[in-house]
Amino acid sequence: MTDVDTGKSQTALQSHLARVEELLRRHRVVESLAHRQEGLHHDLVENLVHRQNLAELQREIDQLHPADIAHILESLPQEDRQSIWNLVKSDRDGEILLEVSDAVRESLLAEMDTPEILAAAEQLDADELADLAEDLPEDVLYTLMQRLTADQRARVQSAMAWEEDQVGAVMDFDMVTIREDISLEVVLRYLRRLKDIPDHTDKLFVVNGDNVLTGVLPIRWLLVNDPAKDVAEVMAADANTFHPEDDVTETAQAFERYDLVTAPVVDGEGKLIGRLTIDAMVDVIREAGEAEALSRAGLRENEDIFASVWRSVRNRWLWLAVNLVTAFIASRVIGLFEGSIEKLVALAALMPIVAGIGGNSGNQTITMIVRALALDQITPASAKRLLRKELGVALVNGVVWGGVIGLVAWLLYGNLALGLVMTLAMTLNLLLAAFMGVLIPMTLLRFDRDPAMGSSVMITALTDSGGFFIFLGLATLFLIRQG
């Protein structure tokens, strides 16, 4: 791995993926042809061809960053994925296992034996081991813990003691600490004696004799100030600090808000126990976004796109069942007005428009509300005002776009009353969509549920059934009975 490889663009990454897929395809073709050959030197030829193809694949893989290899593994079917995984050098296994998704990691670990897993895990730091530990078999984890030093074991156990949505689960133990009663010149000499400094070190943490955090010293302040000054004169005493029990998503938002690169983690007594880094916070933000997108579609977990049929079915069945029930309810709503549809066939052509626009508008509202909830921008005091605002937006859109489609209906069918019914139905359904778009995520949050969970499914079901009922009901009342 080289530093140059860390900056791969998405286009270059896709190019590498295409290259790997082509080499795998070529490898299968050549092996197939070699198997068909007969003769004295068949085994020798097959072995040479096999080695040549694998060597070419090996060179392609070796030049890639672990994150790029993880992307390629996630993008390949399981058989090809295993072929590439077997070519990864053992000293890179641990880094790649941390980069791949949970579902893919599980499939890779299932194919590794205990010595391979131990060799991969031993390459990782304590905080990285804690991330991997929950996916390891119990016997392997026990053996791994026995091989660690007492200090490493304590750090891993400390990180594992916290829930995955808490800061303690993602904090890093590798950091540089200094005392406040020494000069900047001493600090500089100390840093020069270190073989290396931890990644993303933009500041040094200042502690007293009891390891209580007293401030931070940004590296740039260290470089531009007089070396004769003491650390206490230069350091920032009001640093952003976090506690291990803090919510990790809220902490990630704080990193974004204050443009932090690193931040100290302290316990209840103010003692420094770890640090947070920007790379970990970016992962948290990305995972939160992915989880929200999956939840809105009713998926319970991130799914390996090449997982078995049965596993994918288990991940998707619940909300499909809910959707089936709501679709049946919508069909029954239509069934109530079969007589009206028979008398005025235009209703069948127009009613999907009302339902579809309502579903789209409802999803827009839900997306805004879920995002605002995730950013803690909604308070009980502002919820009612927000509801009034969304209803106002729906009313304006209903009158404008309902008027447009009402005019179109009038021109198409030569029926002014039908156009007016279309306008009114569109407006009422958009108001329903806005109301439910606010109510659904707020209600889920009130019951300590993910506000995004299945929200798209629920809002679509409600606006479909509601749209059909409103439009067909109004049409029956004003067009059929009075006609």
Side-chain angles (χ1 to χ4, degrees), residues 340-341 343-352 409 413 418 422 471:
S340 299
I341 296 173
K343 293 179 181 179
L344 187 58
V345 180
L347 299 180
L350 295 174
M351 65 183 185
Y413 299 101
L418 177 60
M422 192 72 179
F471 177 61

Side-chain angles (χ1 to χ4, degrees), residues 264-419:
V265 181
V266 298
D267 62 14
E269 299 176 352
K271 294 184 178 180
L272 182 67
I273 59 175
R275 69 166 185 157
L276 295 172
T277 58
I278 185 62
D279 58 331
M281 295 298 99
V282 168
D283 287 342
V284 168
I285 294 172
R286 175 181 56 80
E287 290 170 4
E290 291 176 352
E292 180 183 319
L294 291 170
S295 293
R296 284 204 303 268
L299 295 175
R300 292 177 293 177
E301 61 184 31
N302 189 7
E303 181 182 306
D304 178 1
I305 60 173
F306 296 106
S308 66
V309 171
W310 175 239
R311 177 150 194 166
S312 295
V313 167
R314 283 191 301 160
N315 188 32
R316 306 181 196 183
W317 75 268
L318 177 60
W319 284 100
L320 288 177
V322 172
N323 207 3
L324 178 62
V325 172
T326 57
F328 179 77
I329 293 172
S331 72
R332 289 298 81 214
V333 170
I334 297 173
L336 294 175
F337 300 96
E338 286 180 353
S340 299
I341 296 173
E342 288 176 358
K343 293 179 181 179
L344 187 58
V345 180
L347 299 180
L350 295 174
M351 65 183 185
I353 300 175
V354 177
I357 295 297
N360 184 272
S361 178
N363 274 306
Q364 290 178 342
T365 301
I366 275 188
T367 299
M368 295 296 295
I369 298 301
V370 169
R371 178 182 179 276
L373 288 172
L375 297 175
D376 290 328
Q377 294 176 339
I378 298 179
T379 64
S382 65
K384 291 183 179 179
R385 182 175 181 178
L386 182 60
L387 177 59
R388 288 195 298 269
K389 175 252 185 181
E390 290 298 322
L391 289 174
V393 171
L395 180 61
V396 172
N397 280 329
V399 171
V400 172
W401 297 110
V404 170
I405 195 62
L407 178 62
V408 171
W410 178 23
L411 295 175
L412 281 176
Y413 299 101
N415 189 331
L416 177 59
L418 177 60

Side-chain angles (χ1 to χ4, degrees), residues 2-10 12 65 68:
T2 65
D3 292 338
V4 176
D5 292 321
T6 61
K8 299 291 185 186
S9 67
Q10 188 63 29
H65 186 273
D68 296 336

Side-chain angles (χ1 to χ4, degrees), residues 73-366:
L73 290 171
E74 292 173 350
S75 304
L76 293 174
Q78 292 193 4
E79 181 180 347
D80 290 342
R81 178 186 299 161
Q82 193 58 45
S83 298
I84 296 300
W85 181 240
N86 292 336
L87 296 176
V88 175
K89 293 180 179 179
S90 58
D91 60 347
R92 306 180 73 192
D93 284 353
E95 293 178 283
I96 297 169
L97 285 172
L98 290 174
E99 295 287 348
V100 295
S101 65
D102 292 344
V104 174
R105 183 188 303 132
E106 183 178 332
S107 71
L108 295 176
L109 287 171
E111 298 297 328
M112 299 173 67
D113 56 28
T114 298
E116 288 176 322
I117 297 176
L118 291 173
E122 287 172 348
Q123 304 293 325
L124 303 176
D125 295 332
D127 57 302
E128 296 172 328
L129 278 175
D131 292 337
L132 189 61
E134 63 181 14
D135 295 316
L136 299 179
E138 289 188 10
D139 57 331
V140 175
L141 180 58
Y142 176 80
T143 303
L144 177 63
M145 296 294 283
Q146 297 305 310
R147 292 188 179 187
L148 300 177
T149 64
D151 183 54
Q152 289 175 321
R153 193 180 305 118
R155 288 184 171 185
V156 172
Q157 290 172 337
S158 173
M160 290 176 61
W162 302 100
E163 299 292 334
E164 63 179 0
D165 60 348
Q166 292 182 314
V167 162
V170 298
M171 65 181 176
D172 184 4
F173 299 100
D174 196 9
M175 53 193 167
V176 180
T177 61
I178 56 175
R179 299 285 291 274
E180 61 182 3
D181 56 353
I182 60 176
S183 67
L184 300 184
E185 184 178 1
V186 173
V187 175
L188 288 167
R189 288 204 303 267
Y190 168 65
L191 292 177
R192 293 191 188 102
R193 286 200 303 269
L194 295 177
K195 294 181 180 180
D196 194 12
I197 60 174
D199 293 337
H200 308 292
T201 298
D202 69 321
K203 60 177 70 75
L204 309 178
F205 301 122
V206 185
V207 296
N208 61 20
D210 296 321
N211 201 43
V212 172
L213 182 76
T214 58
V216 297
L217 177 62
I219 294 293
R220 65 180 186 276
W221 293 5
L222 172 64
L223 298 177
V224 300
N225 277 280
D226 185 353
K229 289 185 176 180
D230 285 344
V231 170
E233 297 179 66
V234 180
M235 71 178 189
D238 57 344
N240 290 287
T241 60
F242 300 94
H243 296 85
E245 64 272 13
D246 289 346
D247 182 86
V248 72
T249 303
E250 294 177 359
T251 301
Q253 292 168 5
F255 261 69
E256 181 183 14
R257 185 162 57 250
Y258 301 120
D259 295 327
L260 301 176
V261 176
T262 61
V265 181
V266 298
D267 62 14
E269 299 176 352
K271 294 184 178 180
L272 182 67
I273 59 175
R275 69 166 185 157
L276 295 172
T277 58
I278 185 62
D279 58 331
M281 295 298 99
V282 168
D283 287 342
V284 168
I285 294 172
R286 175 181 56 80
E287 290 170 4
E290 291 176 352
E292 180 183 319
L294 291 170
S295 293
R296 284 204 303 268
L299 295 175
R300 292 177 293 177
E301 61 184 31
N302 189 7
E303 181 182 306
D304 178 1
I305 60 173
F306 296 106
S308 66
V309 171
W310 175 239
R311 177 150 194 166
S312 295
V313 167
R314 283 191 301 160
N315 188 32
R316 306 181 196 183
W317 75 268
L318 177 60
W319 284 100
L320 288 177
V322 172
N323 207 3
L324 178 62
V325 172
T326 57
F328 179 77
I329 293 172
S331 72
R332 289 298 81 214
V333 170
I334 297 173
L336 294 175
F337 300 96
E338 286 180 353
S340 299
I341 296 173
E342 288 176 358
K343 293 179 181 179
L344 187 58
V345 180
L347 299 180
L350 295 174
M351 65 183 185
I353 300 175
V354 177
I357 295 297
N360 184 272
S361 178
N363 274 306
Q364 290 178 342
T365 301
I366 275 188

